[in-house]
Amino acid sequence: GMNENYSWNSEYSAATLTILSVSIGFAVYWFLAMNKKLKSLFFKKYSSENAWTAYVLFQKMMGVLFMGTIPCIVLISNSDYTLADVGLNLKNYKESLLYILAAGTFILFVNFFVSKNKTNLAMYPEMRVKEWNIKTIILNSIGWAAYILSYELMFRGLLLMVCYQTFGFWPAVAINLSFYSSTHIAKGLTETVGSFPFGLFLCYATVSTGSIAVAFVTHLILALSNDYYSVYHNPEMKYV
């Protein structure tokens, strides 16, 4: 063949490790969170409303463990990267606030209309609870916040920042969007298409500020506004 070279290049080791641990971490999360047998345990044990709350929180905690925490520990214990290097910092917070205000306002406006569509209402909120009280809202919001912090630490923290340091901006973005869009295929066409412009914005904001703050806050605004608009639009759900 073409002068094969299988030697290990140490300058690529952190990126290679991160890409692999992110792939494996996401797969483990997915098959645990979507496991039908595990799901049925929750519904055998609790009434429907409580089962949905507990089950969705269990799913989110699996995400925290396998998407944020474990790949992060793997990278940090096997490289010179620190938590601050992978965006877990409040650097350039004024620039971050500007992006958050602009993107957040746009998301809150657009999402009100987008969330009306039937496919979305069948999927969100993930807790299929009929009556939403303050306790459910708080649990749902904390679950999302923990999950999205881990998710963005993985995608725009570990994966993006390590690939950016290793390969430069555009290859890092290409790798990032490839993963990010693939993880949305199961959520349908709209989310998969949307993941390209949204993912590109988050990659740009993260590299520009050196922090995952914009990615975390705007992604959280997206998830929570979509849930709470969906409760509002869904004739079978109501706030109590």
Side-chain angles (χ1 to χ4, degrees):
M2 299 273 300
N3 303 325
E4 294 93 344
N5 176 5
Y6 303 114
S7 65
W8 185 259
N9 184 340
S10 62
E11 66 179 302
Y12 292 156
S13 60
T16 306
L17 189 66
T18 300
I19 291 168
L20 285 173
S21 73
V22 162
S23 307
I24 295 164
F26 183 81
V28 173
Y29 152 72
W30 185 262
F31 290 110
L32 280 172
M34 302 302 154
N35 186 290
K36 295 275 188 284
K37 283 196 180 110
L38 280 173
K39 182 180 179 179
S40 68
L41 293 176
F42 286 90
F43 287 82
K44 280 195 190 99
K45 194 170 174 202
Y46 304 107
S47 67
S48 176
E49 305 263 305
N50 289 342
W52 274 117
T53 308
Y55 173 58
V56 170
L57 287 175
F58 159 75
Q59 288 181 306
K60 298 280 176 255
M61 291 314 112
M62 291 299 96
V64 168
L65 188 59
F66 292 104
M67 288 202 289
T69 313
I70 292 172
C72 193
I73 291 167
V74 168
L75 174 72
I76 283 172
S77 54
N78 289 288
S79 74
D80 298 331
Y81 282 89
T82 64
L83 284 173
D85 294 334
V86 292
L88 215 56
N89 61 62
L90 291 172
K91 272 196 243 172
N92 300 311
Y93 67 92
K94 286 181 184 157
E95 185 190 351
S96 293
L97 275 172
L98 205 66
Y99 290 132
I100 290 166
L101 278 170
T105 307
F106 176 76
I107 289 165
L108 286 174
F109 178 74
V110 170
N111 231 3
F112 183 79
F113 303 99
V114 173
S115 58
K116 283 181 185 174
N117 99 42
K118 293 273 187 286
T119 324
N120 180 68
L121 292 180
M123 229 172 4
Y124 296 104
E126 290 170 355
M127 293 179 183
R128 307 310 286 174
V129 173
K130 302 253 188 292
E131 299 196 338
W132 283 74
N133 59 26
I134 196 75
K135 186 189 159 196
T136 314
I137 292 169
I138 289 169
L139 285 172
N140 184 56
S141 304
I142 291 171
W144 266 122
Y147 174 83
I148 284 177
L149 182 61
S150 308
Y151 190 94
E152 286 301 339
L153 175 62
M154 180 176 90
F155 272 107
R156 256 60 65 167
L158 307 172
L159 186 62
L160 179 71
M161 293 312 254
V162 175
C163 289
Y164 170 64
Q165 295 299 338
T166 311
F167 310 119
F169 184 72
W170 288 109
V173 168
I175 292 165
N176 207 270
L177 293 182
S178 147
F179 269 81
Y180 186 56
S181 61
S182 302
T183 62
H184 285 77
I185 288 173
K187 303 264 191 195
L189 181 66
T190 312
E191 284 198 42
T192 307
V193 171
S195 71
F196 284 94
F198 188 57
L200 180 60
F201 164 69
L202 296 186
C203 286
Y204 168 75
T206 304
V207 170
S208 176
T209 60
S211 164
I212 60 163
V214 176
F216 168 58
V217 180
T218 52
H219 202 165
L220 187 59
I221 291 170
L222 181 73
L224 293 182
S225 65
N226 190 53
D227 266 8
Y228 301 130
Y229 286 157
S230 297
V231 173
Y232 174 79
H233 292 312
N234 192 328
E236 289 169 22
M237 292 180 179
K238 63 173 194 233
Y239 291 108
V240 292

